[in-house]
Amino acid sequence: MTDPVTPETDLTTGQRSLSAAEHILILAATGLIFAAILQAAPLQSANDRSRWATVWSLVERGTFQIDEIDEYARWSTIDKVRYRDRETDPWHFYSSKPPLLSVIVAGVYAAERWTLGYGLFNHTEFVTRLLLLIVNGLPFWFALRSLCRCMILMGASLPVRMFVAAAAGFGSLLNPYLTTLNNHTPAVVCAMFTIAAAAEILARHQNKTATTHAVQGRVFMALGFFAALTCCFELPAALLGVLTFFLAV
């Protein structure tokens, strides 16, 4: 490890350059994930189907109730709860998964439905793969870039950055999850963005770098926003939110 301020880092402008080798490594890892997503079977598990059922119901029926779609065997899930407001009301099934991710994906699906016209029920493979490329594949690429930039801020040498990026891109426990709709993948991406923002704050503080209020404000906003999202996607990450709060203070 070297001094946090390296020729590759200009903290006054916020520019952090990645080497050509890092760009190639990140593209290779992302390309592998894209290929896996394009070959992934849809509706792989009860967990997966529970979220997709909510996405379909929100866009096609305007409700969180999944009764209608759950009647079909390939869509049926055990990750559901039965609920009604009053004893005189009929029972309805809802996904037992936290709704935030499903609502976000439903927004992406609604945009695809409006532009391309493909439905999640009749074109399940095409739509699920397309949405996973957007909500899993692209964020994975951004997360790897953020990881390398974070290591530059920490003063890591190129061989160290290449090794860590390769491990994260090709050999982490995240990789198998990237072909399904689950809460772990967005949580990891948001956690990486949180750590990158924290590293920049610490680097600026340690080196007493002069920054404008706008630049400093954006970094703190990113820290709080992505830390909060991480906690929402992954409850055990609540400790990360606490730590970032004390760091910000």
Side-chain angles (χ1 to χ4, degrees):
M1 301 292 285
T2 60
D3 186 83
V5 179
T6 71
E8 298 169 286
T9 307
D10 183 355
L11 290 177
T12 60
T13 62
Q15 295 178 350
R16 296 174 293 277
S17 60
L18 275 63
S19 68
E22 288 172 293
H23 282 295
I24 294 173
L25 181 62
I26 291 172
L27 286 174
T30 307
L32 183 64
I33 293 302
F34 272 47
I37 291 174
L38 290 174
Q39 297 179 26
L43 312 176
Q44 297 182 30
S45 66
N47 186 317
D48 198 35
R49 292 192 295 271
S50 181
R51 289 186 168 90
W52 284 121
T54 304
V55 170
W56 181 89
S57 295
L58 284 173
V59 176
E60 304 294 347
R61 297 294 183 264
T63 179
F64 281 96
Q65 298 169 6
I66 62 172
D67 307 62
E68 182 179 351
I69 194 70
D70 187 62
E71 292 179 356
Y72 295 88
R74 68 185 182 119
W75 286 84
S76 183
T77 176
I78 60 173
D79 288 342
K80 59 189 176 184
V81 295
R82 195 174 70 156
Y83 174 79
R84 62 181 179 180
D85 289 328
R86 294 178 295 272
E87 291 187 0
T88 55
D89 293 340
W91 290 101
H92 291 290
F93 283 111
Y94 298 84
S95 170
S96 61
K97 303 302 176 184
L100 177 61
L101 178 60
S102 299
V103 170
I104 293 173
V105 178
V108 181
Y109 172 47
E112 182 279 325
R113 196 82 165 94
W114 181 69
T115 54
L116 300 181
Y118 292 100
L120 189 54
F121 185 82
N122 292 324
H123 305 90
T124 307
E125 287 191 0
F126 174 81
V127 175
T128 54
R129 290 169 179 172
L130 176 61
L131 297 185
L132 287 176
L133 287 175
I134 296 173
V135 301
N136 281 355
L138 286 178
F140 179 68
W141 177 71
F142 281 112
L144 290 179
R145 288 176 57 88
S146 182
L147 173 62
C148 290
R149 288 174 173 169
C150 182
M151 287 188 287
I152 291 175
L153 280 173
M154 295 170 62
S157 64
L158 179 58
V160 171
R161 302 201 308 267
M162 292 289 291
F163 176 81
V164 174
F170 297 99
S172 79
L173 291 175
L174 177 67
N175 293 59
Y177 287 102
L178 289 166
T179 59
T180 67
L181 183 60
N182 66 92
N183 63 295
H184 306 300
T185 50
V188 168
V189 172
C190 291
M192 187 62 253
F193 292 161
T194 302
I195 294 170
E200 184 162 347
I201 290 173
L202 290 173
R204 292 179 184 277
H205 179 73
Q206 179 180 346
N207 296 282
K208 309 299 182 183
T209 306
T211 57
T212 64
H213 289 294
V215 172
Q216 190 177 30
R218 284 197 296 270
V219 178
F220 275 89
M221 286 175 62
L223 179 73
F225 178 76
F226 288 113
L229 270 183
T230 305
C231 298
C232 291
F233 286 131
E234 197 78 75
L235 184 58
L239 181 59
L240 178 66
V242 175
L243 293 176
T244 53
F245 170 77
F246 284 111
L247 172 66
V249 171

